Amino acid sequence: SAVTTADGQYQITQKELAQNESTLNVQASGYLGSELKLVLNRTGTVEINFPMQKAASQGISISDLTADKPKCGAYCTANFTGILKNIGDVSQDIITQVKVTNPAGNTIEEFMVATDATSFETPLNLTPQQQLTLPFAWHTQNYPPGVYTLHWSVFSKRTMQLLAQMEKTLTIEPTIKIASLKVVSSIDQTNQGTTAQLLIQAAVRNQSNVPAP
């Protein structure tokens, strides 16, 4: 065996080769292997050059994952945008997923991200060096105040191998909010001078994430 120099030169002595037929196998990072059968019938020096074919590379990058707001209250929609890029030289069928963890690190939500509402079952296809801006949104509901982390992951559709991941945090602030108050009476009208039993009900829609004082 031999290790080449920086410019690809190598040397193997006759002692390292079989007397009749030998097989030379060349391996290089980022290239397909090459093999050559060699028959020695005399002594001397032989120069052998191996043609190397570059191996296909695969990879997806995520960049510029941004949020339209750093903080949000209860029942708030936060909008995010990220850029996906195929940095390999082969097309990739991918699926993207967002996992949301609470301040304790526990997963509270998981959802898929697609280019439109009809393509959740269809993988995204990125050709070599193609770049795609992908938006998604998360609704905070009535989750307690704290710092939440959104983990955006990209997987190979074929192998489900994780190809890329990026995180973004969002702070949910304490919120006390009465979204609506509706008062309903049991009767709409009554005659003058008559006595009627009146029942009044109030419906309150509470959109707080902390107890009201």
Side-chain angles (χ1 to χ4, degrees):
S1 64
V3 178
T4 67
T5 60
D7 59 356
Q9 300 295 318
Y10 69 97
Q11 182 175 350
I12 300 177
T13 65
Q14 188 173 355
K15 294 180 180 180
E16 299 177 89
L17 301 175
Q19 290 296 322
N20 296 319
E21 183 178 283
S22 298
T23 300
L24 301 182
N25 188 290
V26 179
Q27 302 288 336
S29 178
Y31 291 84
L32 299 178
S34 183
E35 188 175 277
L36 178 69
K37 292 189 180 298
L38 178 67
V39 177
L40 295 178
N41 53 21
R42 61 182 177 86
T43 60
T45 301
V46 179
E47 181 178 315
I48 302 176
N49 296 316
F50 288 86
M52 302 294 291
Q53 180 181 349
K54 188 176 181 180
S57 62
Q58 300 182 12
I60 299 292
S61 68
I62 302 177
S63 61
D64 298 330
L65 180 56
T66 59
D68 64 343
K69 52 179 75 70
K71 298 180 180 180
C72 217
Y75 293 94
C76 167
T77 298
N79 296 294
F80 299 83
T81 302
I83 298 177
L84 301 179
K85 184 177 181 180
N86 184 350
I87 57 177
D89 50 23
V90 293
S91 294
Q92 288 267 42
D93 286 332
I94 60 173
I95 56 176
T96 65
Q97 181 190 61
V98 173
K99 179 178 70 173
V100 185
T101 55
N102 61 17
N106 300 319
T107 300
I108 57 173
E109 284 189 45
E110 288 182 316
F111 56 91
M112 305 296 292
V113 178
T115 52
D116 58 71
T118 62
S119 62
F120 283 104
E121 300 300 323
T122 304
L124 299 173
N125 179 267
L126 290 182
T127 58
Q129 303 306 311
Q130 181 183 355
Q131 185 170 287
L132 175 67
T133 300
L134 203 59
F136 62 90
W138 179 54
H139 191 62
T140 61
Q141 304 184 56
N142 63 337
Y143 290 123
V147 178
Y148 291 73
T149 304
L150 288 87
H151 311 260
W152 191 21
S153 302
V154 181
F155 299 90
S156 165
K157 174 63 176 178
R158 184 176 61 87
T159 65
M160 290 308 296
Q161 176 187 358
L162 178 64
L163 301 176
Q165 188 177 65
M166 183 170 280
E167 298 178 356
K168 190 72 175 179
T169 59
L170 179 73
T171 300
I172 297 182
E173 298 183 305
T175 305
I176 297 178
K177 179 181 178 182
I178 303 301
S180 62
L181 175 63
K182 184 178 181 181
V183 179
V184 180
S185 63
S186 58
I187 57 176
D188 295 329
Q189 60 183 9
T190 184
N191 296 325
Q192 185 177 2
T194 62
T195 301
Q197 185 176 4
L198 178 64
L199 177 64
I200 297 178
Q201 293 180 323
V204 177
R205 185 183 177 192
N206 186 1
Q207 288 192 339
S208 305
N209 59 7
V210 292

